[in-house]
């Protein structure tokens, strides 16, 4: 519960900093929800899955700071979140490697749609980095969805990871749309709220990951 309080407090202060234009306060408060998730994960059983999700959260923490920094460090922030998605991808692959064809098709459609939209406005020197990022988040989404229905993983963990991945991809898409396609007033709030909810879902999938055999014993 205390980690939830830290997350809500940090999130509330960050939203206030957005509304008030207090950038220094935003820089200090933005990392708190993800720090709270990392502390929360300490209560979960240790293992490869928890380790890789934790590494993804650490990379996301770096990305949060880089994107919030007063100077434009967008490319470095993109790199940090790329590492986060790769860590989540490894975590999901450790649970299930079945083809999951429907999940693959959906992830490909999502990735192609996002990249096509952004590339249509001209990305210049960011074309290749954004293409690589779109490929990575598509792979992460595919493997998150691929965990659904695994006979050894609880349904709650599967749906939490899948929902978290979808929200994370949505948040990344909103960043790209706001930066490269058309800025919109609600973007800062929509981006951060979908991002936090997505990260919570991914972290919660660790907490509720107990094998079905164990849960029913």
């Amino acid at each position: 519960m205390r980690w939830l309080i830290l997350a809500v407090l940090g999130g509330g202060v960050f939203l206030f900093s957005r509304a008030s234009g207090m950038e220094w306060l935003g820089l200090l408060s933005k990392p708190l929800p993800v720090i709270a998730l990392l502390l929360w994960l300490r209560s979960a059983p240790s293992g490869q899955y928890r380790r890789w999700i934790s590494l993804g959260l650490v990379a996301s923490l770096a990305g949060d700071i880089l994107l919030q920094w007063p100077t434009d460090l967008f490319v470095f922030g993109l790199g940090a979140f790329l590492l986060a998605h790769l860590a989540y991808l490894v975590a999901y692959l450790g649970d299930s490697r079945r083809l999951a064809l429907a999940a693959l098709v959906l992830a490909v459609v999502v990735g192609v749609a996002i990249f096509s939209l952004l590339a249509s406005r001209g990305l210049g020197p960011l074309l290749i980095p954004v293409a690589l990022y779109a490929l990575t988040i598509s792979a992460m989404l595919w493997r998150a969805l691929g965990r659904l229905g695994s006979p050894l993983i609880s349904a709650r963990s599967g749906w939490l990871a899948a929902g978290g991945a979808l929200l994370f991809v949505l948040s990344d898409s909103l960043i790209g749309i706001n930066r490269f396609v058309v800025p919109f007033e609600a973007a800062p709030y929509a981006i951060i709220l979908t991002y936090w909810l997505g990260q919570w879902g991914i972290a919660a999938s660790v907490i509720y990951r107990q094998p079905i055999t164990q849960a029913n014993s």
Side-chain angles (χ1 to χ4, degrees):
M1 179 62 70
R2 58 187 182 275
W3 310 132
L4 176 61
I5 294 173
L6 176 62
V8 172
L9 178 63
V13 172
F14 179 75
L15 292 175
F16 171 77
S17 74
R18 282 287 194 186
S20 62
M22 302 172 67
E23 291 189 5
W24 64 270
L25 185 60
L27 183 60
L28 293 174
S29 59
K30 188 178 183 183
L32 293 180
V34 172
I35 290 174
L37 292 177
L38 280 165
L39 294 172
W40 185 36
L41 286 190
R42 295 175 61 190
S43 65
S46 61
Q48 290 289 338
Y49 189 77
R50 190 186 82 168
R51 185 175 300 113
W52 282 106
I53 296 298
S54 297
L55 288 172
L57 287 172
V58 170
S60 298
L61 188 61
D64 284 339
I65 296 172
L66 289 168
L67 291 184
Q68 189 63 25
W69 204 258
T71 55
D72 187 2
L73 299 176
F74 178 78
V75 174
F76 297 99
L78 190 72
F81 281 114
L82 178 69
L83 293 176
H85 286 300
L86 287 172
Y88 294 154
L89 173 61
V90 173
Y92 299 147
L93 280 171
D95 269 357
S96 174
R97 299 198 177 190
R98 64 190 183 90
L99 180 59
L101 185 58
L104 174 60
V105 171
L106 176 60
V108 169
V109 169
V110 169
V112 170
I114 293 171
F115 178 72
S116 299
L117 177 61
L118 300 182
S120 67
R121 298 305 177 111
L123 295 172
L126 289 177
L127 180 65
I128 293 179
V130 171
L132 178 61
Y133 194 86
L135 176 63
T136 303
I137 65 173
S138 298
M140 185 277 296
L141 178 61
W142 170 35
R143 296 323 312 164
L145 296 173
R147 290 176 76 244
L148 292 171
S150 171
L152 298 178
I153 302 301
S154 68
R156 179 181 289 187
S157 175
W159 283 108
L160 284 167
L166 283 165
L167 286 168
F168 203 162
V169 171
L170 175 58
S171 178
D172 283 342
S173 303
L174 292 174
I175 291 176
I177 292 170
N178 184 63
R179 185 179 180 93
F180 299 113
V181 182
V182 54
F184 57 102
E185 188 176 351
Y189 304 100
I191 289 168
I192 198 63
L193 290 174
T194 52
Y195 167 71
W196 282 335
L197 287 172
Q199 293 282 37
W200 175 83
I202 292 169
S205 75
V206 181
I207 302 295
Y208 297 103
R209 186 181 168 271
Q210 71 271 19
I212 291 176
T213 53
Q214 175 183 328
N216 292 338
S217 62

